[in-house]
Amino acid sequence: MTELALVERVRARLATDPGPPTRTAVAALVREEAGGLLGDDEVLRAVRAAVDELAGAGPLEPLLRAPGVTDVLVNGPDEVWVDRGTGLERAPVRFPDEDAVRRLAVRLAAAAGRRLDDAAPWVDVGLPDGTRLHAVLPPVAATGTCLSLRVLRRAALGLDDLDRRGTLPGEAGDLLRAVLATRLAFLVTGGTGSGKTTLLAALLGQVPATERLVLCEDAPELAPAHPHVVRLATRPPNVEGVGEVTLRDLVRQALRMRPDRLVVGEVRGAEVTDLLAALNTGHDGGCGTLHANRAAEVPARLEALGVAAGLERAAVHSQAAAALAVVVHLRRTGTGRRVEELGVVSRVGPLVTVEPGWRADGGPCPAAGRLRALVGRPG
């Protein structure tokens, strides 16, 4: 019996078992199916092949568990990439063929209770271990099945840890602590992988233990070192298309849970209207993250999200002006991630702007005085 035939027999038996297969169960079935026909070395290789194929994340498992890895990307059977925080690099991992990549994508989606097939050719879901999975099948993915896995690192970093890593240059750390102490509402902004969630979690860890944090997230990524955290997570619709819980639903429920700090893990849709409204009704100190290329572009991003949710343009800007005080912008560089700017939200006529109050590069900061006045730190 060949190793491939053995793996196929194990797969067929596991197909009748409820729930995702465990490594122990896969190994036991391999030994049982081998029936003494294979030597010890052959059985060991077959066990490894079957475990890679049928349990966990398969051949990607070692990459996901490697220290420092934040993303694992699969563009095809011979093209696997990892990101360790300094940019993408090719990984020495290969799949036997396109079918193996597709089987892994379908199995991972099923482990999270989601469907992935020709009728539903993409999925975006959190796996049971917290890893974020996005997968796209052909023909939507023209070159073959594509997997994107974002690794959830539960080890929370504090502000002191980020300072040692160079994330908080100059006065950034002191200014951010002052933002928290004065209970200013703020957004942490930046591009994908710039460290927004990591910084937000570190900041929340500085909130006094007497305060109650209510977190609203699509995936449970925030892990603040704080004794009083209530976590709310979205839920996708089931196969019948019902039962969905959106981020907007969570924000509305959170407001009824006596939050001292309302936190939205990532503002990216209609929930922006409820968040801005909440921050305008006595829920000071609230915060969240937002994708933006520059701090100055935050008003345009809020406008786009708010208008899509049904607000008038003027209403979005009016709400933002009253709700938000500071924008903390991060940038990813070749040497890591760092706070690039602290912007001050200001109203100019009917519109909102974000002007630099502090910059890591020492550039002009027209709102420096206003920032220091907000946080109570004289210049």
Side-chain angles (χ1 to χ4, degrees):
M1 182 190 305
T2 66
E3 290 179 18
L4 181 59
L6 183 58
V7 170
E8 289 293 339
R9 291 180 61 172
V10 172
R11 182 189 296 115
R13 289 188 58 178
L14 287 173
T16 63
D17 292 342
T22 65
R23 290 175 174 271
T24 302
V26 171
L29 282 176
V30 168
R31 292 186 178 278
E32 183 180 331
E33 286 292 334
L37 299 177
L38 300 178
D40 290 341
D41 290 343
E42 292 172 304
V43 169
L44 182 59
R45 286 196 302 272
V47 167
R48 288 174 176 167
V51 167
D52 282 349
E53 173 77 14
L54 302 170
L60 304 180
E61 192 73 26
L63 299 178
L64 294 172
R65 303 294 161 248
V69 170
T70 60
D71 296 88
V72 176
L73 310 173
V74 181
N75 300 340
D78 298 321
E79 200 173 328
V80 179
W81 300 79
V82 298
D83 187 347
R84 304 178 194 274
T86 56
L88 292 173
E89 56 187 85
R90 200 76 173 258
V93 172
R94 301 290 182 273
F95 288 82
D97 50 36
E98 160 63 19
D99 286 343
V101 182
R102 183 182 178 115
R103 284 196 301 269
L104 175 60
V106 171
R107 180 168 59 75
L108 290 178
R114 297 294 297 277
R115 170 183 174 185
L116 183 63
D117 53 30
D118 290 341
W122 59 73
V123 69
D124 182 13
V125 68
L127 299 180
D129 66 354
T131 302
R132 191 76 187 179
L133 165 71
H134 185 274
V136 187
L137 299 180
V140 177
T143 58
T145 302
C146 290
L147 291 172
S148 302
L149 292 156
R150 168 63 60 86
V151 181
L152 173 64
R153 299 295 183 191
R154 276 293 184 187
L157 297 175
L159 284 186
D160 290 339
D161 299 316
L162 295 181
D163 202 4
R164 286 190 291 270
R165 295 181 177 209
T167 304
L168 308 174
E171 288 187 282
D174 291 338
L175 289 170
L176 289 174
R177 288 181 175 89
V179 167
L180 289 172
T182 50
R183 297 187 61 82
L184 297 177
F186 65 93
L187 290 177
V188 180
T189 64
T192 301
S194 59
K196 299 185 296 297
T197 300
T198 300
L199 177 60
L200 181 56
L203 291 171
L204 294 175
Q206 297 288 312
V207 171
T210 54
E211 297 186 21
R212 172 180 170 94
L213 309 181
V214 182
L215 314 184
C216 304
E217 299 182 89
D218 270 328
E221 294 182 302
L222 287 168
H226 193 278
H228 196 157
V229 178
V230 179
R231 305 176 189 279
L232 303 178
T234 61
R235 184 178 68 188
N238 60 21
V239 292
E240 286 81 24
V242 298
E244 181 180 19
V245 177
T246 68
L247 204 54
R248 189 172 191 180
D249 296 327
L250 298 186
V251 172
R252 289 175 173 174
Q253 296 309 310
L255 294 177
R256 295 167 173 81
M257 300 174 69
R258 196 211 166 274
D260 288 305
R261 305 260 183 168
L262 174 62
V263 183
V264 178
E266 182 181 340
V267 181
R268 62 178 182 179
E271 67 278 357
V272 68
T273 62
D274 298 285
L275 177 63
L276 292 178
L279 298 181
N280 274 308
T281 54
H283 293 84
D284 55 342
C287 52
T289 72
L290 178 77
H291 279 273
N293 293 325
R294 297 186 304 124
E297 295 175 4
V298 168
R301 285 281 294 137
L302 294 175
E303 180 183 315
L305 295 175
V307 170
L311 282 182
E312 295 290 334
R313 183 190 187 202
V316 175
H317 284 265
S318 181
Q319 292 267 47
L324 299 171
V326 174
V327 170
V328 182
H329 190 71
L330 289 133
R331 183 170 295 279
R332 182 173 181 166
T333 68
T335 57
R337 304 161 174 87
R338 72 169 189 171
V339 175
E340 183 179 63
E341 179 183 328
L342 270 67
V344 178
V345 179
S346 306
R347 186 161 189 166
V348 179
L351 301 180
V352 161
T353 64
V354 176
E355 295 184 307
W358 175 91
R359 287 173 53 172
D361 62 5
C365 296
R370 275 178 290 154
L371 176 62
R372 292 185 176 278
L374 284 170
V375 300
R377 294 175 60 87

